[in-house]
Amino acid sequence: MTISVQDKVVAITGASSGIGEAAARVLAQAGAKVVLCARRTDRLDKIVGEIKVAGGQAIARPLDVTNREDAKAFVNAAVEEFGRLDVLVNNAGVMLVSPLAELKIDDWDQMIDVNIKGVLYGIAAALPVMREQNSGHVINVSSVAGHRVGPATSVYSGTKWAVRAISEGFRQEAGASIRSTIISPGAVLTELPDHISSAAIKEAAKAMYATAISADAIPNAILYAIEQPADVDVNEILIRPTAQQS
Ligand code: NDP
């Protein structure tokens, strides 16, 4: 029997824009109690306000996923406000793609810190709570880039490969009461490519994103994974634009 997301407590990192924002809105509309986290709290407050006006339940908390204490604090906030944490969506991420020869080492560091360490810090904060509850679900956002690597995506792909490895290891270790899902999108129209610092790659990304799908295409996959029976673990969902070849 499928389970409803109604009244489930779902914390979403990177909920101030793009996929995280879309997921927060869809899950709240479906009845979840959502905890939105990111650094841009002005944006979070606006989204939470709109969710509440629409009849949903939501709170916003500041979070820099590269900070372990922040990660603990937002999980604690979810538990204090709503009494438990059913689902953690580790969605925050950056895609600062560039050829290795450009030596954008600060960008490499940022991708490793946000995309890998951020996911691990989220798990570190949530796992003790989920073990104590004897239930929980960690949903990590990887990417099609976690399955294939191209010129300029070495480090980004490396981080998204790592997200899949961590998710699979988590799945094997977590036991029967805690679920692990990977969501791997293709090109989705969000702010993600706006932060690319390599001029040539930013231009190339524009061409690839010409056929990108809306962020609204992703939350239903998250909802599907959550709503499966408790003994069913949807391990990974890949979602590409139909027009995306690779
Ligand atoms: P956006 O740039 O729109 O959203 C990224 C989110 O991550 C923002 O809410 C941002 O919030 C947050 N974020 C970035 N750095 C940090 C940080 N240090 N601490 C906390 N939050 C942070 O892009 P998307 O919605 O596209 O990205 C969401 C996820 O989807 C990422 O993991 C991305 O890699 C993945 N993805 C996206 C694809 C796409 O084509 N768009 C394809 C495949 C995967 P703030 O700046 O307010 O902190």
Side-chain angles (χ1 to χ4, degrees), residues 13-21 37-44 63-67 70 90-95 110 113-115 141-145 156 160 183-195 208-209 212-213 215 239:
T13 70
S16 58
S17 63
I19 293 168
E21 174 183 349
C37 309
R39 293 166 304 173
R40 290 172 295 174
T41 49
D42 52 335
R43 292 229 196 169
L44 296 179
L63 169 70
D64 182 337
V65 293
T66 67
N67 180 314
D70 271 19
N90 275 318
N91 163 75
V94 288
M95 184 187 73
Q110 200 186 337
D113 287 348
V114 175
N115 300 358
V141 178
S142 176
S143 173
V144 166
Y156 180 66
K160 291 302 186 179
I183 302 289
S184 292
V188 178
L189 205 54
T190 67
E191 297 173 15
L192 198 68
D194 298 354
H195 309 291
M208 186 182 169
Y209 276 80
I213 49 178
I239 310 165

Side-chain angles (χ1 to χ4, degrees), residues 66-84:
T66 67
N67 180 314
R68 292 186 208 186
E69 295 310 315
D70 271 19
K72 268 194 206 157
F74 95 82
V75 167
N76 288 343
V79 174
E80 271 164 30
E81 182 73 21
F82 294 124
R84 52 188 293 112

Side-chain angles (χ1 to χ4, degrees), residues 2-245:
T2 58
I3 49 178
S4 170
V5 77
Q6 181 78 38
D7 290 329
K8 283 202 176 292
V9 181
V10 183
I12 305 169
T13 70
S16 58
S17 63
I19 293 168
E21 174 183 349
R25 291 183 190 279
V26 167
L27 294 173
Q29 197 173 21
K33 298 170 180 171
V34 287
V35 181
L36 288 78
C37 309
R39 293 166 304 173
R40 290 172 295 174
T41 49
D42 52 335
R43 292 229 196 169
L44 296 179
D45 290 340
K46 184 170 177 287
I47 299 161
V48 163
E50 289 167 6
I51 287 173
K52 285 182 173 169
V53 166
Q57 296 185 71
I59 59 168
R61 286 293 177 273
L63 169 70
D64 182 337
V65 293
T66 67
N67 180 314
R68 292 186 208 186
E69 295 310 315
D70 271 19
K72 268 194 206 157
F74 95 82
V75 167
N76 288 343
V79 174
E80 271 164 30
E81 182 73 21
F82 294 124
R84 52 188 293 112
L85 177 65
D86 295 302
V87 184
L88 169 64
V89 183
N90 275 318
N91 163 75
V94 288
M95 184 187 73
L96 308 173
V97 282
S98 60
L100 291 171
E102 287 188 12
L103 299 183
K104 290 187 176 290
I105 299 171
D106 288 343
D107 286 357
W108 303 352
D109 282 344
Q110 200 186 337
M111 285 189 283
I112 290 164
D113 287 348
V114 175
N115 300 358
I116 303 178
K117 288 187 181 175
V119 166
L120 287 170
Y121 293 165
I123 289 172
L127 189 53
V129 174
M130 292 178 176
R131 281 199 179 266
E132 178 73 27
Q133 293 170 173
N134 200 30
S135 71
H137 191 170
V138 174
I139 299 178
N140 294 324
V141 178
S142 176
S143 173
V144 166
H147 289 261
R148 58 175 300 279
V149 62
T153 76
S154 318
V155 181
Y156 180 66
S157 289
T159 64
K160 291 302 186 179
W161 235 284
V163 170
R164 292 181 51 239
I166 292 162
S167 305
E168 172 58 11
F170 178 88
R171 184 191 74 75
Q172 293 178 22
E173 291 178 21
S177 60
I178 298 177
R179 304 190 292 183
S180 170
T181 298
I182 305 162
I183 302 289
S184 292
V188 178
L189 205 54
T190 67
E191 297 173 15
L192 198 68
D194 298 354
H195 309 291
I196 298 171
S197 63
S198 167
I201 300 302
K202 195 168 187 172
E203 206 48 41
K206 268 189 205 161
M208 186 182 169
Y209 276 80
T211 54
I213 49 178
S214 159
D216 294 334
I218 310 302
N220 278 341
I222 295 174
L223 193 57
Y224 169 78
I226 296 173
E227 289 193 329
Q228 295 313 298
D231 61 348
V232 175
D233 197 359
V234 176
N235 301 138
E236 182 165 12
I237 302 177
L238 280 98
I239 310 165
R240 287 183 176 86
T242 48
Q244 183 172 334
Q245 287 189 324

